[in-house]
Amino acid sequence: MLLLLLKNAPRLVRVACVATLLASFAPEVSAQRATGPDRPADFMDPAFHRQRRELLRQKLPARSVAVLFAAPVRNRANDVDFQYHQNPDLFYLTGYDEPDAVLLLFKEPQTVGGQSGVTEALYVQPRDSKAEQWTGRRLGTEGTKQQLKLQYVADNKEFAAAKLPWSSFEQVLFLDQPQDARDDAANPGDVYSLIQTFRQGANFPADYNPSRNEAYALIRKYVGTPAAANLTPYLTNLTQEQPQLASDRYLQAYLKATTDDARKQAVSALPTSRFDGSALSALLDEMREVKTSEEMKHLRRAIQISAVGQQEVMKAMKPNMTEMEVQGLHEFVYKKYGAEFEGYPSIVGAGNNACVLHYTVNDKPRLGNELTLMDCGAEYHGYTADVTRTIPANGKFTTEQRQIYELVLAAQQAGFEQCKPGNAFAAPGEAAQKVIADGLLKLGIIKDAKETRRYFPHGTSHYLGLDVHDRGTYGPLRAGNVITVEPGIYIPADSPCDKKWWNIGVRIEDDVLITDKGWENLSKDAPRTVADIEALMAKPSALDKFELPVLK
């Protein structure tokens, strides 16, 4: 095999040899990405993405263009890349899941590549039989047109010569451009080159600062509202974190203003620019926070798979298992049901490891009789679940474990009851916080409610969808929102409380759909109560007799 033969050659030699082979002449072929029995048949219909594009385009300001780039290919180590994952916004609008692409949405129809009346243009990587032999089949321009039904599709190398009328757009809207895109000198259509072409063609300002742009946008949005004064602490922190903003005279003028009139005067002096890196993000926040019926099919599937994973692990778990073994069982269930990825690195923490919020090492060699926190979620066709259960590895809660667990469960129930349309996004968290504060006081773990944050240091909710922490406005809850409700208590060793509570970490997390009248727990199939968990853990598992040979 070529890569094995080249393995010991110097890196530059290997890269040069492979690049030469991949760049060999290969005629454009007509075959398209495999469908039918070779690929799942339940991907989103192109009509969904087309409707999303058109809805976004209608929201664009007059005489504007929106620009969205594909995610870059990201390197894991040396010449090995991570499995590709598309920019969720580009996927949401197109269904395209390959690298080296850029999408343009025009408010008013344009002439592009000699075609008039174009409102959407997608530049994609071309077919290449040599490259496809190594890294998989591509849609190419024709496949993209036929399968994804975009109005105008062209080879990504044509973007540089497209002569788009950048100067005619009064506003150029874009998202943060990836900073880790690598420049492949052999590929003039890679995302690095696409970004450079955009910057040069649109005369993008060299000193553009996304944080400054965001700060200016927030000031304009909130001046004259009750929230204007609350913006000051955020801007103060921003200028402290970024020295280049500390000297920005417009931000300083706003921060020194103490009255509404003074703030309005400061805003009137803010410089304007036709380049806007925040408006497009705000529009996508508004769109993506409310899930359509098509999205809910995939999201329900991802959540159902994750709940079954929790069920099966509850039946299979034994004290002599490792954290990594438990992780593998969850992820095996995901793959069994066709979930392509985990939505985020699986968290499996036993004992004190459960007190680390984003613990992902998962290398404890034996669970023992400790509580094991499992925060795991399947990603199905781009949509991810986020479900957490905490269970005793030996199948029985101790008295202290039960007391902490049931306190968290009561807090979660209080959070559920606040999941209603019109309630503040923070309402579930505030309700859960109060229950936990009261409970910790009664148990003697804290002496003052202000100490609650020591043991419950996070909020309870975030949006869920194409991202595990999905886009959203974080305004009042609306029907169609899917959010998490995930209170927790974490008491690491050496905490200032009775030692009997040490090494107990509990989080219970469910995925909740806000409905017209209230809420629906989408992950209810994963047992939540002490009685239900202990009953399920007492049942036999299909894996009880699965034993591998001992390695020597």
Side-chain angles (χ1 to χ4, degrees):
M1 176 175 185
L2 176 63
L3 288 181
L4 290 176
L5 291 173
L6 291 174
K7 185 171 71 172
N8 295 319
R11 176 172 170 76
L12 289 178
V13 173
R14 298 200 312 272
V15 172
C17 291
V18 173
T20 299
L21 284 169
L22 294 183
S24 298
F25 175 76
E28 183 78 10
V29 286
S30 59
Q32 297 170 14
R33 175 180 300 181
T35 55
D38 292 328
R39 293 204 84 207
D42 60 341
F43 286 110
M44 206 78 79
D45 190 278
F48 165 80
H49 302 290
R50 183 171 63 247
Q51 191 265 352
R52 298 289 94 189
R53 291 193 300 277
E54 185 57 24
L55 180 59
L56 176 59
R57 196 180 70 82
Q58 293 297 330
K59 293 175 179 288
L60 297 178
R63 293 175 291 283
S64 69
V65 59
V67 185
L68 299 94
F69 293 96
V73 175
R74 294 185 162 98
N75 182 254
R76 183 180 184 275
N78 194 20
D79 53 0
V80 176
D81 293 327
F82 285 104
Q83 188 170 350
Y84 186 70
H85 194 277
Q86 185 58 277
N87 170 2
D89 290 314
L90 186 72
F91 184 78
Y92 178 72
L93 295 171
T94 65
Y96 187 74
D97 61 358
E98 299 178 21
D100 299 335
V102 58
L103 172 68
L104 306 176
L105 296 177
F106 307 107
K107 178 65 174 183
E108 291 83 17
Q110 304 292 320
T111 297
V112 181
Q115 180 176 327
S116 61
V118 175
T119 57
E120 55 184 36
L122 180 64
Y123 292 84
V124 301
Q125 62 179 3
R127 297 297 312 279
D128 183 331
S129 59
K130 291 290 187 182
E132 291 177 51
Q133 185 178 22
W134 290 81
T135 57
R137 304 185 74 174
R138 301 176 176 183
L139 279 175
T141 56
E142 290 305 314
T144 302
K145 288 178 186 176
Q146 294 176 23
Q147 293 193 30
L148 301 183
K149 313 296 185 186
L150 276 99
Q151 184 184 25
Y152 179 88
V153 180
D155 186 321
N156 54 21
K157 293 187 291 296
E158 295 179 20
F159 186 56
K163 296 182 179 179
L164 295 166
W166 293 109
S167 62
S168 69
F169 299 119
E170 293 184 6
Q171 286 188 265
V172 180
L173 282 61
F174 55 92
L175 303 177
D176 286 345
Q177 297 154 34
Q179 301 298 306
D180 56 345
R182 292 173 288 168
D183 183 10
D184 181 355
N187 182 6
D190 65 5
V191 74
Y192 179 92
S193 299
L194 295 175
I195 292 171
Q196 297 309 308
T197 294
F198 161 65
R199 286 173 168 263
Q200 293 165 11
N203 196 24
F204 194 81
D207 63 346
Y208 177 81
N209 184 305
S211 295
R212 179 188 291 116
N213 178 270
E214 180 186 3
Y216 287 179
L218 289 172
I219 289 172
R220 289 191 177 98
K221 179 178 180 179
Y222 290 113
V223 68
T225 72
N230 297 333
L231 186 57
T232 299
Y234 169 79
L235 295 176
T236 301
N237 289 334
L238 190 66
T239 56
Q240 291 173 348
E241 293 171 359
Q242 298 195 34
Q244 66 271 35
L245 297 185
S247 59
D248 186 284
R249 63 191 181 98
Y250 303 106
L251 290 180
Q252 291 303 324
Y254 183 86
L255 289 172
K256 291 176 182 177
T258 57
T259 66
D260 284 343
D261 288 342
R263 293 188 186 100
K264 289 177 181 178
Q265 185 175 356
V267 169
S268 67
L270 285 176
T272 59
S273 170
R274 69 190 191 98
F275 294 95
D276 193 327
S278 57
L280 182 57
S281 187
L283 292 175
L284 287 165
D285 284 346
E286 183 182 340
M287 289 174 61
R288 282 179 52 185
E289 77 173 9
V290 176
K291 302 301 183 284
T292 68
S293 58
E294 297 94 334
E295 290 180 286
M296 284 307 304
K297 290 179 182 177
H298 288 345
L299 203 43
R300 285 181 183 276
R301 181 75 170 177
I303 294 168
Q304 185 181 20
I305 291 169
S306 303
V308 172
Q310 294 284 357
Q311 292 174 8
E312 293 306 313
V313 169
M314 287 181 188
K315 290 186 287 186
M317 182 177 282
K318 301 292 185 293
N320 63 348
M321 284 185 170
T322 69
E323 290 175 342
M324 201 172 295
E325 193 174 353
V326 173
Q327 174 186 346
L329 292 177
H330 280 279
E331 294 173 9
F332 170 75
V333 172
Y334 301 169
K335 300 299 184 185
K336 185 70 175 175
Y337 286 110
E340 297 92 336
F341 300 99
E342 302 81 56
Y344 51 94
S346 298
I347 297 170
V348 178
N352 207 47
N353 292 338
C355 299
V356 180
L357 301 184
H358 284 173
Y359 171 80
T360 58
V361 178
N362 303 344
D363 66 353
K364 188 170 184 174
R366 190 174 187 276
L367 303 178
N369 293 328
E370 297 182 293
L371 283 182
T372 301
L373 186 154
M374 305 175 296
D375 187 338
C376 306
E379 181 183 302
Y380 189 81
H381 295 359
Y383 288 82
T384 181
D386 190 2
V387 181
T388 306
R389 291 295 183 266
T390 307
I391 64 177
N394 65 355
K396 289 288 183 181
F397 288 84
T398 66
T399 299
E400 289 76 20
Q401 290 171 351
R402 177 191 289 264
Q403 287 176 299
I404 298 298
Y405 186 91
E406 291 188 333
L407 174 54
V408 175
L409 188 66
Q412 189 190 38
Q413 188 61 40
F416 284 157
E417 291 167 4
Q418 294 301 313
C419 292
K420 302 173 184 177
N423 276 7
F425 192 90
E430 292 170 355
Q433 183 85 13
K434 185 178 187 309
V435 171
I436 287 179
D438 291 345
L440 292 177
L441 284 167
K442 290 178 182 177
L443 292 173
I445 295 173
I446 61 175
K447 297 178 181 179
D448 189 302
K450 294 179 181 178
E451 299 174 55
T452 304
R453 298 300 288 180
R454 173 189 291 274
Y455 301 111
F456 179 24
H458 59 79
T460 63
S461 302
H462 56 77
Y463 295 105
L464 197 61
L466 285 168
D467 287 297
V468 65
H469 296 152
D470 207 31
R471 279 190 175 277
T473 63
Y474 287 88
L477 294 172
R478 303 164 62 191
N481 291 163
V482 177
I483 67 171
T484 61
V485 180
E486 50 175 312
I489 295 174
Y490 316 90
I491 312 176
D494 299 322
S495 294
C497 61
D498 194 311
K499 290 183 179 181
K500 70 180 182 178
W501 305 112
W502 289 5
N503 300 323
I504 294 178
V506 174
R507 182 162 64 250
I508 310 172
E509 178 178 21
D510 282 278
D511 303 339
V512 173
L513 170 66
I514 306 301
T515 66
D516 290 331
K517 297 181 180 180
W519 54 276
E520 176 189 352
N521 183 357
L522 301 173
S523 49
K524 63 182 181 301
D525 289 344
R528 293 171 59 239
T529 68
V530 167
D532 287 346
I533 289 170
E534 290 184 344
L536 187 59
M537 293 187 75
K539 292 185 177 181
S541 166
L543 296 171
D544 286 342
K545 296 181 180 180
F546 180 65
E547 295 185 5
L548 295 173
V550 177
L551 300 180
K552 298 180 180 180

